[in-house]
Amino acid sequence: MTIDDCFGTAPVRQPDPAQPALTREAFEAALRAKGAGYHIHHPFNVRLNSGGASPEQIRGWVANRFYYQINIPIKDAAIMSNCPDRETRRQWVMRILDHDGYGENAGGIEAWSRLGEAVGLTRSALWSLEGVTPGVRFAVDAYVNFARRAPWQEAVCSSLTEMFAPQIHKDRLASWPQHYPWIDAEGLAYFRSRIPLAQRDVEHGLKVTLDHFRRRDQQERALTILQFKLDILWSMLDAIDKAFPS
């Protein structure tokens, strides 16, 4: 992917008449097939969920992933700022509230803060971002910049990595209590809460993507955008793995 592709400034390619558009079903299947490159398969995540991570590695992962968590509502606000469709904004705003919280719902960022405390990080250390690696900062900032500059439908498409998220959360809930009994189980609430929310978000994001990307060239671009987001998540784990080696 070129820099222009990453930031949504590349000119739209003309459709190849020899390449008919995928059916809606085939396009969805192609998007879901991208799950083969999801970071659930990254060696660091495999170690994390199989009991092979040290307390220092777990704390390093939680601290670095926190930078992604606090940027999610910023990314979603950027998407909304580019979206003229009121109904889409009415649905998308829930993602911001899910993370920032509203009313008596503390939100996902607070839930992640409690995960940090459960693995032995102080709240002040977590929020200071002092443990965030340059590689993670670069990857997350690139994603936020993409969301700011890309057409809103493309930014929505990039969110579809959530198709693969419920399984990674289920894996953590199933394996962490067994492998890391020293982690307070209450700290795992974030993973539990995200399973139904991710499923809800995917339903909306997938509909937007399937409705908008109809020509074959558009569908290919959507697949490239989804790969870009997968690369962001994979690169984050590359940086964490290097900073906290076995």
Side-chain angles (χ1 to χ4, degrees):
M1 177 182 289
T2 67
I3 292 177
D4 278 345
D5 283 332
C6 290
F7 292 102
T9 57
V12 176
R13 294 185 292 272
Q14 293 301 311
D16 182 352
Q19 291 290 319
L22 298 171
T23 65
R24 192 177 182 91
E25 294 75 19
F27 182 31
E28 179 177 345
L31 291 166
R32 291 188 180 278
K34 286 288 185 180
Y38 191 50
H39 65 166
I40 195 172
H41 305 296
H42 192 284
F44 187 90
N45 186 72
V46 172
R47 290 200 304 276
L48 196 64
N49 286 352
S50 63
S54 67
E56 181 186 13
Q57 289 172 323
I58 294 172
R59 285 190 281 270
W61 176 78
V62 170
N64 276 270
R65 182 77 183 192
F66 184 64
Y67 188 64
Y68 179 81
Q69 300 303 131
I70 62 174
N71 274 280
I72 289 175
I74 298 172
K75 174 267 297 183
D76 287 325
I79 294 174
M80 287 181 61
S81 74
N82 291 327
C83 178
D85 182 66
R86 178 171 177 259
E87 187 55 38
T88 296
R89 295 197 306 269
R90 282 166 60 88
Q91 294 186 62
W92 206 266
V93 72
M94 291 305 302
R95 297 172 182 245
I96 297 175
L97 298 176
D98 288 341
H99 281 84
D100 279 340
Y102 60 95
E104 294 187 4
N105 181 346
I109 291 174
E110 175 59 24
W112 197 273
S113 296
R114 293 171 183 170
L115 172 63
E117 291 175 320
V119 302
L121 292 167
T122 65
R123 185 172 289 257
S124 60
L126 188 68
W127 279 92
S128 73
L129 305 180
E130 62 188 14
V132 179
T133 70
V136 167
R137 284 183 183 272
F138 184 85
V140 174
D141 291 351
Y143 182 41
V144 173
N145 285 332
F146 172 81
R148 285 177 175 145
R149 300 180 61 179
W152 69 270
Q153 298 95 334
E154 294 192 355
V156 167
C157 175
S158 72
S159 76
L160 288 179
T161 49
E162 285 194 285
M163 290 190 294
F164 321 121
Q167 187 58 55
I168 207 170
H169 297 319
K170 291 175 183 176
D171 288 352
R172 290 164 185 157
L173 289 168
S175 65
W176 281 35
Q178 173 188 354
H179 296 307
Y180 311 113
W182 54 273
I183 299 177
D184 185 349
E186 291 299 316
L188 306 182
Y190 175 87
F191 305 138
R192 193 172 298 108
S193 69
R194 283 306 305 170
I195 295 171
L197 294 177
Q199 292 168 340
R200 178 206 68 192
D201 292 345
V202 164
E203 182 178 348
H204 178 223
L206 190 58
K207 183 180 185 304
V208 170
T209 299
L210 296 177
D211 287 346
H212 178 74
F213 297 89
R214 297 194 175 192
R215 298 197 313 260
R216 182 60 177 267
D217 64 314
Q218 293 174 327
Q219 293 169 338
E220 294 295 340
R221 180 165 178 79
L223 292 167
T224 300
I225 290 166
L226 184 53
Q227 184 61 55
F228 162 68
K229 175 62 180 308
L230 290 164
D231 291 346
I232 290 288
L233 297 173
W234 196 276
S235 296
M236 289 172 61
L237 281 186
D238 279 346
I240 295 169
D241 197 13
K242 184 175 182 179
F244 301 94
S246 300

